[in-house]
Amino acid sequence: EAQKGQTILQVAREHSIRIPTLCHHKDLSPSGNCRMCVVDVKGSRFLQAACVSTVADGMEVDTQSERAVKSRKLSLELMLANHTPNCAYCDISNDCELQTLVFEYGVETPRYGLKDARYKVDSDPNPFIHVDFNKCIMCRRCVQACAEIQVRDVWGIAYRGFQEQIVAGAGT
């Protein structure tokens, strides 16, 4: 059972049903950016992002369908293709949401994608912020937190496709 207006993810969590997420954060508005929370809704042609899809009467949701699991694996593989190549040896190893999901879903570093660091590490001249965009998976939580919690709108998204990246101050 669920309350009107609740999302599939909210209802699942209330009933101790685990649906993986990366971009979702309890203090931010749901965005569905990472596509890790996709679920199969009976009668729906496409997988639904559980964090933004509201429940409806009679809805049947399969959180671990073959199609949903396959989609999550592909999403993780694509994130790793654009991620720093030494993810398994990261400084915050064992405390990383991405790494946890990669191991859980048995995703290996793809043969294609980045072979070297894409961005200069700590290119931000600010002495209070350490920036390594090579580890960014474009979940956009930093952009949302800056806009919704700090109400500063400092971070944003620039470019499209493979060139897409997080920028500060309109990239200046």
Side-chain angles (χ1 to χ4, degrees), residues 47-133:
L47 294 170
Q48 304 297 312
C51 67
V52 294
S53 300
T54 54
V55 294
D57 284 340
M59 181 182 266
E60 291 182 36
V61 178
D62 187 346
T63 62
Q64 294 298 321
S65 72
E66 184 179 330
R67 191 166 75 142
V69 169
K70 185 177 179 180
S71 176
R72 291 175 191 153
K73 282 183 172 184
L74 178 60
S75 291
L76 286 167
E77 190 173 316
L78 291 171
M79 286 179 211
L80 285 181
N82 294 323
H83 194 58
T84 184
N86 60 352
C87 182
Y89 309 105
C90 180
D91 294 344
I92 61 169
S93 190
N94 299 322
D95 192 28
C96 173
E97 296 170 80
L98 175 64
Q99 192 178 63
T100 299
L101 288 172
V102 164
F103 289 139
E104 178 183 333
Y105 281 86
V107 176
E108 296 182 22
T109 303
R111 293 182 301 272
Y112 54 87
L114 294 177
K115 302 299 179 224
D116 297 312
R118 186 170 164 192
Y119 302 103
K120 180 181 174 190
V121 176
D122 205 22
S123 58
D124 192 319
N126 186 322
F128 303 105
I129 300 173
H130 176 80
V131 178
D132 185 353
F133 287 115

Side-chain angles (χ1 to χ4, degrees), residues 8 10 20 26 33 44 71 104 127 131 159 164 171:
I8 295 170
Q10 289 171 324
K26 66 180 180 57
N33 287 327
S44 180
S71 176
E104 178 183 333
V131 178
Y159 314 110
E164 184 177 66

Side-chain angles (χ1 to χ4, degrees), residues 1 8-20 63-64:
E1 292 187 18
I8 295 170
L9 182 63
Q10 289 171 324
V11 175
R13 287 185 172 173
E14 280 182 7
H15 293 89
S16 300
I17 299 168
R18 185 174 175 281
I19 298 174
T63 62
Q64 294 298 321

